[in-house]
Amino acid sequence: MAAEQRKNGQARRTEEEPALTARDRRDMAQRLAAMAGKPESPQGALMFDGEALDEETGRLLRASLQNQLLIGKKLAKQKFTPKKYRRD
C-alpha cells in the first residue's frame, strides 16, 4: 500500500485494498475445490508424471492456488471498481 505524507506529518493511504465479502470467499473456496479436485477419488486426484501427489505437496499446491485466487480477486476488485466509488 502506498502512502503520501501530508503537511501535518500524517501518512495518507492512496491505494486501499478492497475488502473481500463472504460471497467472494465462498466463490474462491468453490473454485479452489474445482481446481484441486478431491484427493480421495482416484479420478479427481492430481497426478505428476503418472504418480499421485503426496500429502505435503498437495497441501502446498492448495495453499499456492488459494493465494493466487486471493491476490487475483483483490486485483480484479481494485481494477474494476469505478473511480467514483474509490476511496482515495
Side-chain angles (χ1 to χ4, degrees):
M1 288 183 210
E4 291 181 353
Q5 282 291 25
R6 293 183 181 175
K7 290 182 181 178
N8 60 5
Q10 293 179 348
R12 185 185 90 172
R13 294 169 67 183
T14 56
E15 294 178 20
E16 194 170 313
E17 280 190 7
L20 295 179
T21 63
R23 180 180 179 187
D24 293 334
R25 293 195 183 278
R26 186 179 64 237
D27 290 344
M28 286 176 16
Q30 289 174 351
R31 290 187 67 162
L32 181 63
M35 282 193 286
K38 301 285 184 200
E40 296 85 27
S41 67
Q43 295 168 344
L46 294 172
M47 305 287 273
F48 179 72
D49 198 25
E51 297 179 15
L53 294 178
D54 61 343
E55 187 177 327
E56 182 179 352
T57 307
R59 263 186 305 163
L60 291 172
L61 180 64
R62 286 183 66 84
S64 177
L65 288 173
Q66 185 177 12
N67 192 27
Q68 290 175 358
L69 286 172
L70 179 69
I71 291 171
K73 180 63 90 169
K74 285 183 179 181
L75 288 175
K77 280 188 157 232
Q78 187 176 19
K79 182 177 180 180
F80 294 109
T81 301
K83 287 185 179 183
K84 66 180 181 179
Y85 296 118
R86 292 183 192 169
R87 295 178 185 160
D88 287 333

